[in-house]
Amino acid sequence: MKRYGPAGIPLSSKGRTIKDGIEDVHMMGLNAIEIQMIRNFVEQRPPEDFEVGMRPEEIRSSFIVEVGKPMGDDYVFTSTGKEVIEEDDLLTVLYIPSVGVNYKELRAMGKLARMLDVRVAVHSQYYIDLISGDEITHRSLDNIMWSGVVAREVGADMVITHIGPYGDVKKKEAMRRVKENLEIILERFRENGITAKIAVETSGKQELFGSMSEVLTLAKSLDGVTPLLNYAHIHSREDGSLKTPDDFKKLFQKVRKFLGGEIYGHFSGVEYDRGNETRATPIKKGDLKFEPLAEAMLDSDDDFVLICDSPLLEHDAMYMKVITERTLGKRIAREKREVERLAMEREKEEEMRRAEEEKAAAKKSPGKDKAQKDEAQPEKKSDSKKSSGPSDVKEGKKSGGSKKKPSGKKSESKGSGGSKEKKPAASEKKGKSSGKKGGGKEK
């Protein structure tokens, strides 16, 4: 299955909440959306009087993402949503009007998304630093944690995050620190019933942690971490590496074993310079083309989620869907023509084969072939056999001869039988004359 959607609330949505965005995405024929945790405000405060004795998930006026229980001089924070609030607790309240103001709204939003078959993921704040180790890193850990709470309540199975800049830290040391901090977040996820995976997004600049090899190293090392393919970032960082369907297929091959059959990615047009992204653009105007990716997806058995983070958001998300469908239509038409061509070739080959077989059979049994011809003209053959003797007589009549012409023996028998003869034989004439002469002499 292939899913398409915007990174955040569609620009055309009249309502500016994720709930409105889910409904509008469905109406557009799209089926994915990312909750962007980019505009939020965090406050820590003691409980209100009415909140004491309640659980965070029961409170409608605010979204309490953490409850801190006093322990010595510090607090131990949990984020299950089921802690009973006490007077001495310290509450962490997250204000994200575009997402929801309490647990009930978030859960209703997740139910709506499932009913409309809209895939939901949560993107943590864009500025994250898991390398430097200073106060920004601690806030980054908290931001990813709170994104996990939102993911749990809406039913999302993925929290997407960047890692941050290397700064002055060597790459090897940066990898060690990133692993350590991600392990802290994963442990906090497990303790608070958050089952979403952490998806580490590839980065588009050389100064940022998040090359393809680094992201894959994290996925290999940490259970619960998965790679997220930002195609524009990969294309930029590798100086225009994604140009053909085979380029995308090689990329799928690298990440497939970490993704469980679904390849999740971001797409937009992009401009870059010497391995660094300069800005995201609409898909039609960028150096990165979508058609090769569509071809590669159609050749793959994987499921795909494509989130558009171009300046046009839902417009380009719909464009990606249209291009994929158009590519599929051309492929089906091409395959149909090929099937028809092969069928015609097979039919011609079969006709030629039958003709050759008949020719070979005729050479092996010529008598049979002659008999077949005789059967085709039986009367003519019979007449010729019957007339083979009398034909000479007929020819004799025509030439003036007689059928009564005797042989030598027949002539003698007819002569001795006293047959009527008009002229005597020459021998008889000679005998008579000789007798007369002889009688005269005797006298």
Side-chain angles (χ1 to χ4, degrees):
M1 183 175 187
K2 296 167 184 62
R3 294 180 177 272
Y4 307 85
I9 302 166
L11 300 174
S12 58
S13 292
K14 293 181 179 179
R16 300 311 300 166
T17 69
I18 290 294
K19 178 179 178 296
D20 298 315
I22 291 171
E23 292 174 341
D24 290 345
V25 158
H26 174 69
M27 293 298 293
M28 294 173 190
L30 303 173
N31 49 8
I33 193 170
E34 262 184 19
I35 297 174
Q36 304 281 299
M37 302 283 288
I38 54 176
R39 293 183 179 87
N40 56 57
F41 173 70
V42 180
E43 177 190 19
Q44 282 192 327
R45 61 171 176 80
E48 300 286 347
D49 290 341
F50 75 91
E51 294 172 337
V52 175
M54 298 182 69
R55 293 180 173 84
E57 63 184 4
E58 298 171 342
I59 296 172
R60 301 289 179 262
S61 58
S62 58
F63 181 38
I64 300 171
V65 292
E66 284 185 337
V67 176
K69 300 290 183 181
M71 183 171 288
D73 296 334
D74 205 351
Y75 290 89
V76 176
F77 291 92
T78 55
S79 303
T80 65
K82 301 181 181 300
E83 306 90 342
V84 177
I85 299 172
E86 298 174 351
E87 290 182 1
D88 296 334
D89 291 345
L90 183 63
L91 307 182
T92 302
V93 182
L94 185 64
Y95 295 96
I96 41 173
S98 65
V99 178
V101 298
N102 56 50
Y103 283 82
K104 183 178 179 180
E105 287 187 2
L106 290 173
R107 290 171 182 174
M109 187 189 308
K111 184 178 180 180
L112 175 66
R114 288 188 293 275
M115 182 179 70
L116 298 178
D117 189 30
V118 175
R119 174 77 148 71
V120 177
V122 179
H123 198 303
S124 67
Q125 288 185 336
Y126 276 80
Y127 188 78
I128 295 290
D129 179 3
L130 298 182
I131 295 175
S132 67
D134 56 16
E135 182 61 28
I136 297 177
T137 298
H138 294 298
R139 288 204 302 270
S140 297
L141 291 172
D142 287 338
N143 283 325
I144 297 172
M145 178 65 202
W146 300 333
S147 297
V149 174
V150 173
R152 182 189 64 202
E153 297 307 316
V154 300
D157 62 356
M158 185 180 294
V159 174
I160 302 159
T161 187
H162 300 286
I163 298 298
Y166 297 109
D168 297 330
V169 181
K170 301 281 187 178
K171 288 188 176 182
K172 187 175 181 180
E173 175 62 16
M175 176 65 74
R176 186 193 68 79
R177 294 185 186 186
V178 171
K179 286 181 181 179
E180 185 178 278
N181 286 321
L182 287 176
E183 285 175 344
I184 291 172
I185 299 171
L186 290 168
E187 181 62 26
R188 290 176 68 179
F189 273 22
R190 286 189 289 268
E191 291 173 350
N192 293 279
I194 300 170
T195 59
K197 289 188 174 184
I198 297 176
V200 178
E201 183 174 344
T202 53
S203 62
K205 295 184 178 181
Q206 302 295 327
E207 65 186 21
L208 300 176
F209 185 100
S211 66
M212 193 71 245
S213 62
E214 288 172 334
V215 171
L216 292 177
T217 298
L218 292 176
K220 290 176 184 176
S221 305
L222 300 171
D223 186 21
V225 172
T226 186
L228 185 140
L229 302 178
N230 189 311
Y231 299 103
H233 289 172
I234 296 169
H235 187 68
S236 300
R237 186 163 185 146
E238 297 178 359
D239 204 24
S241 62
L242 301 177
K243 295 179 180 178
T244 67
D246 284 341
D247 294 333
F248 287 97
K249 290 177 185 179
K250 291 175 183 176
L251 192 59
F252 300 159
Q253 187 64 31
K254 290 179 181 179
V255 301
R256 183 171 285 119
K257 62 182 178 181
F258 302 108
L259 299 175
E262 180 186 76
I263 298 177
Y264 194 106
H266 289 180
F267 197 93
S268 71
V270 68
E271 293 177 359
Y272 56 92
D273 179 41
R274 288 173 291 184
N276 291 288
E277 178 186 7
T278 56
R279 71 186 183 104
T281 69
I283 293 175
K284 292 181 180 179
K285 296 184 178 181
D287 177 75
L288 178 62
K289 302 302 180 185
F290 183 73
E291 287 80 359
L293 175 55
E295 291 280 359
M297 289 193 301
L298 291 173
D299 287 336
S300 173
D301 294 329
D302 300 295
D303 293 329
F304 289 87
V305 179
L306 283 170
I307 297 297
C308 178
D309 53 4
S310 87
L312 298 182
L313 281 185
E314 71 272 22
H315 177 276
D316 272 355
M318 295 174 70
Y319 174 75
M320 290 191 294
K321 182 181 178 183
V322 168
I323 290 297
T324 307
E325 291 172 348
R326 187 181 301 168
T327 303
L328 177 61
K330 289 180 180 178
R331 178 173 293 195
I332 292 172
R334 189 166 58 246
E335 289 175 353
K336 183 180 178 181
R337 289 195 299 270
E338 181 65 13
V339 168
E340 291 174 351
R341 185 186 68 80
L342 291 174
M344 290 179 66
E345 287 184 357
R346 283 196 298 269
E347 187 176 348
K348 288 180 180 178
E349 289 175 358
E350 183 64 21
E351 289 178 358
M352 292 176 65
R353 185 187 63 79
R354 285 197 298 267
E356 289 293 331
E357 287 179 353
E358 290 175 359
K359 187 176 180 181
K363 287 181 178 179
K364 288 180 181 179
S365 54
K368 183 178 179 182
D369 185 56
K370 186 178 179 182
Q372 290 175 349
K373 290 181 180 179
D374 292 345
E375 289 176 3
Q377 299 176 338
E379 294 180 1
K380 190 173 181 181
K381 290 286 181 181
S382 177
D383 291 342
S384 64
K385 288 180 181 178
K386 290 179 180 179
S387 61
S388 59
S391 61
D392 294 338
V393 178
K394 292 179 181 178
E395 288 176 2
K397 285 182 178 180
K398 289 178 182 178
S399 59
S402 175
K403 108 176 174 178
K404 295 182 179 179
K405 185 177 181 180
S407 62
K409 290 181 180 180
K410 288 182 180 180
S411 176
E412 291 175 1
S413 61
K414 287 179 181 177
S416 61
S419 60
K420 184 179 180 181
E421 292 183 8
K422 293 181 179 181
K423 294 181 179 181
S427 58
E428 291 177 353
K429 288 182 178 181
K430 289 180 179 180
K432 288 179 180 180
S433 61
S434 62
K436 288 179 180 181
K437 288 179 181 180
K441 287 181 179 180
E442 290 177 359
K443 287 182 179 178

